[in-house]
Amino acid sequence: MKSRLLNRIGLLFLAFVVVSPAILFFLWMLSLSLKFEIDNGAYPPIFIPERFAWSNYAQVFRENNFLLYLWNSILVTGTATALALLIGVPAGYGIARLKAEKAAVVVMIARMTPGLSYLIPLYLLFQWVGLVGTIWPQIIIHLVVTVPIVVWVMIGYFETTPIELEEAASIDGASAWQVFSMVALPIARPGIVVALILAVIFSWNNFVFGVVLASRETRTLPVAVYNMLSYEQVSWGPLAAAALVVTLPVLVLTMLAQRQIVAGLTAGAVKGG
Amino acid sequence: MAATVQAGRRPLRLAPNYWLFVLPALIVVLAVIVFPWAFTIWMSGNEWTLGSPRSFVGFANYLRLWADPRFWESLGHTLWYTLLSVVMPLILGTLAALIFDARFPWRGFLRGIFVMPMMATPVAIALVWTMMFHPQLGVLNYLLSLVGIPAQEWIFNPSTVIPSLVAVETWQWTPLVMLIVLGGLASLPRDPYESAEIDGANGWQKFYHLTLPMIAPFIMVAAIIRSIDALKSFDIIYAMTQGGPGTASETINIYLYNTAFAYYDIGYSSAMAIIFFVIIVALSLILLMLRQRLQWSEAEGK
């Protein structure tokens, strides 16, 4: 009994060792974001400063138009995810029911293609159509990230949901659409939540599309935080504060929806971009 | 896959037309995936820099690529970067999975924190790592000095830039390997372990002769996914070094970006994009074949 307890404590210790790079990194990020320049430039480094520089956060929002970029990020991620669910959930359903494994290959290819190879032709297309300067190019190209994730997760999910209920409903005279919307869809809600969360995270994090397609007014947060580097003399406090603001929504979501994320990633092992 | 469960079912009397459900997605896929590919293939046969006239040149762009030392150099960087950022997360992720497979207090909570790096915004992470790598003021050199190791130049030195970037990549993506292997560990049967214990096998023997062969297919899946992602890695490299110092960390993806969006050499970058994609597919196929061989020899051994 006693050795068992020791075992558990030993394991807990090992787990802490394994997790420590993540914990220490995020704590250091927080520390950087709350220090004045003089503390951030100190050697040896200061972990907990005597005075907290909350002003770093205020400065990020005041000087860098961060509210606009936050709104852009919400708009791009929100629309791209909503559109992806709208077309991806039925597609996942159809592919799962058709047992069309070739369609899954298309998703795999989309997964393997580097984001840049979409970017070059679509960038030219957006220029010709005259969409450059609006938010639409980014929303459209984010579909490259969100649609495969949603389709992939939903194929996996619909393959596990029973078909008997659907058969019963269609024998009772329900149309294909009714079967889908009234029988299949309600059962699939947990799968949709997984797809939604993963699509939101990978769209939110996307950087490469924005760095090419965004103008000054249509930047998303990852692009905005990167641009802080190049457009002013680098001061670490506000930069770290901005980095934390950008990634905080995702981190909170990860903690809240840990179980769904783990389920989705291990089932489909998807990643956008 | 679970698809086989329903195989062999009698045909439905009123089988709905499922293609209608797939149609909207098909249109989107055509528009944002197939069209770009067709366009890229066509463009790769043209000599075209934005702002100047376009002309058809056949395979000249591919020949130019073949003779481009900067491309070969970037290919070398890519392969080195990929090798390191597959192997390191595989080793660390498997170790972490073995720990997280056991039972201990706060397991779920700690796993949640462990997963965080992979979900965090890469650019934001990269900026903070850049500060930590700072040769004079960075916290990493301070930590090294505590154990008596001299200060490093990390991403600011051509010879250490790739390993330093890989450290960030490893920090970020070890959790994915851990999750996949953890899924494998959870599906292992109990019986072989019980009989091994009766035979008096020690912990290492059980791991090496039982666990490792059984989770090998999962490690291979992780290796394939990791290879694809590492080959395509962009955000971290671009945000931290932009391929520098000089071109010391310029991978194909970064060179591709520069060719397309710094030099606006559309024809050449299209050819590069296609070759790049071929490399990714080829490597994935090799790994897939390895995986099949692995499972095959395993089945034979039984």
Side-chain angles (χ1 to χ4, degrees):
Chain A
M1 211 53 219
K2 199 163 195 180
S3 78
R4 230 186 130 125
L5 186 72
L6 269 174
N7 235 332
R8 284 182 148 206
I9 293 173
L11 275 166
L12 183 63
F13 174 74
L14 278 179
F16 260 109
V17 171
V18 166
V19 177
S20 61
I23 298 178
L24 291 177
F25 176 89
F26 288 114
L27 285 180
W28 187 245
M29 189 174 181
L30 185 66
S31 161
L32 282 170
S33 76
L34 285 175
K35 284 185 289 194
F36 289 100
E37 271 321 276
I38 190 150
D39 288 335
N40 269 331
Y43 194 92
I46 299 167
F47 182 50
I48 303 174
E50 282 170 21
R51 295 175 309 138
F52 289 113
W54 298 106
S55 57
N56 287 340
Y57 286 89
Q59 193 188 332
V60 165
F61 281 97
R62 196 177 55 238
E63 289 177 10
N64 297 288
N65 235 345
F66 249 54
L67 280 179
L68 172 67
Y69 302 143
L70 177 67
W71 172 241
N72 287 341
S73 261
I74 292 171
L75 205 62
V76 169
T77 295
T79 317
T81 305
L83 286 174
L85 288 177
L86 211 60
I87 52 183
V89 174
Y93 174 72
I95 292 170
R97 290 290 171 265
L98 285 164
K99 304 191 180 60
E101 270 125 32
K102 295 230 168 56
V105 173
V106 174
V107 181
M108 263 318 282
I109 290 175
R111 172 84 171 66
M112 283 155 95
T113 309
L116 279 173
S117 17
Y118 302 120
L119 202 42
I120 299 166
L122 288 176
Y123 170 76
L124 293 172
L125 183 73
F126 292 137
Q127 266 198 335
W128 290 327
V129 183
L131 280 175
V132 170
T134 70
I135 201 98
W136 281 104
Q138 292 187 78
I139 292 174
I140 293 169
I141 207 162
H142 271 240
L143 293 177
V144 170
V145 179
T146 55
V147 170
I149 291 177
V150 173
V151 173
W152 193 255
V153 171
M154 292 322 292
I155 294 176
Y157 201 83
F158 280 118
E159 275 174 351
T160 64
T161 57
I163 198 170
E164 282 78 9
L165 275 175
E166 294 171 29
E167 285 177 346
S170 74
I171 287 166
D172 286 347
S175 71
W177 176 253
Q178 283 169 327
V179 170
F180 171 68
S181 64
M182 295 164 88
V183 181
L185 211 51
I187 300 177
R189 196 171 294 153
I192 297 174
V193 171
V194 171
L196 170 84
I197 292 169
L198 289 179
V200 162
I201 290 178
F202 286 116
S203 166
W204 184 272
N205 285 348
N206 186 285
F207 168 65
V208 62
F209 295 148
V211 87
V212 173
L213 291 174
S215 65
R216 199 169 229 307
E217 275 74 42
T218 59
R219 271 175 209 150
T220 53
L221 281 178
V223 182
V225 73
Y226 176 75
N227 274 20
M228 278 180 72
L229 256 189
S230 26
Y231 282 107
E232 48 195 284
Q233 72 274 53
V234 187
S235 43
W236 284 11
L239 199 57
L244 201 61
V245 167
V246 171
T247 197
L248 196 64
V250 180
L251 295 183
V252 171
L253 193 59
T254 306
M255 274 327 262
L256 292 181
Q258 194 214 130
R259 197 141 28 97
Q260 283 87 345
I261 290 173
V262 169
L265 283 175
T266 40
V270 281
K271 182 186 154 249
Chain B
M1 283 273 154
T4 46
V5 178
Q6 283 149 13
R9 174 171 298 279
R10 75 198 141 71
L12 275 181
R13 200 155 43 102
L14 290 164
N17 189 357
Y18 289 115
W19 282 108
L20 286 177
F21 290 101
V22 188
L23 195 65
L26 212 59
I27 294 169
V28 170
V29 164
L30 278 176
V32 296
I33 295 176
V34 176
F35 157 75
W37 269 121
F39 188 89
T40 304
I41 291 169
W42 178 67
M43 230 9 128
S44 74
N46 284 275
E47 159 84 55
W48 186 31
T49 306
L50 270 195
S52 49
R54 182 179 57 76
S55 61
F56 185 77
V57 292
F59 288 99
N61 281 323
Y62 293 93
L63 294 174
R64 183 176 152 200
L65 203 60
W66 180 260
D68 182 354
R70 192 168 161 189
F71 173 74
W72 290 104
E73 203 196 320
S74 69
L75 177 65
H77 295 153
T78 308
L79 294 179
W80 176 226
Y81 182 91
T82 303
L83 180 74
L84 286 178
S85 34
V86 172
V87 171
M88 295 305 294
L90 276 190
I91 295 171
L92 296 174
T94 306
L95 285 176
L98 289 171
I99 292 169
F100 276 104
D101 187 48
R103 247 164 242 295
F104 53 85
W106 302 333
R107 176 166 163 252
F109 174 71
L110 286 174
R111 191 185 61 180
I113 294 181
F114 191 71
V115 172
M116 273 184 162
M118 144 171 103
M119 291 307 178
T121 311
V123 179
I125 296 309
L127 292 184
V128 176
W129 275 101
T130 310
M131 297 180 211
M132 295 185 5
F133 279 139
H134 194 283
Q136 281 87 44
L137 303 173
V139 70
L140 287 180
N141 273 345
Y142 170 72
L143 292 177
L144 285 188
S145 76
L146 291 182
V147 287
I149 300 173
Q152 304 292 315
E153 287 182 296
W154 305 104
I155 56 170
F156 303 98
N157 183 323
S159 61
T160 53
V161 59
I162 287 183
S164 305
L165 290 170
V166 168
V168 181
E169 178 104 10
T170 304
W171 177 83
Q172 214 191 354
W173 290 108
T174 295
L176 183 67
V177 178
M178 189 280 275
L179 288 180
I180 294 170
V181 176
L182 192 62
L185 286 170
S187 68
L188 294 189
R190 279 295 311 154
D191 311 4
Y193 290 91
E194 279 159 16
S195 45
E197 264 159 42
I198 293 166
D199 292 344
N202 64 29
W204 167 251
Q205 284 170 329
K206 275 190 282 185
F207 171 73
Y208 190 77
H209 294 290
L210 285 174
T211 312
L212 199 57
M214 284 196 283
I215 59 171
F218 293 90
I219 297 179
M220 273 314 284
V221 170
I224 295 170
I225 293 169
R226 210 63 280 293
S227 306
I228 295 172
D229 289 344
L231 282 170
K232 299 197 307 181
S233 183
F234 180 84
D235 294 10
I236 285 174
I237 305 175
Y238 185 82
M240 291 180 74
T241 68
Q242 291 188 293
T247 56
S249 62
E250 188 176 71
T251 58
I252 298 182
N253 217 7
I254 301 284
Y255 186 29
L256 176 59
Y257 175 87
N258 286 334
T259 313
F261 298 109
Y263 314 141
Y264 291 106
D265 195 341
I266 303 299
Y268 192 42
S269 61
S270 297
M272 207 186 293
I274 285 168
I275 296 300
F276 185 32
F277 181 68
V278 168
I279 292 171
I280 296 176
V281 173
L283 202 87
S284 323
L285 284 180
I286 291 172
L287 287 170
L288 265 177
M289 259 150 57
L290 260 173
R291 174 161 181 255
Q292 232 113 33
R293 281 259 308 261
L294 204 76
Q295 284 176 331
W296 190 58
S297 59
E298 215 179 289
E300 213 180 30
K302 270 173 195 163

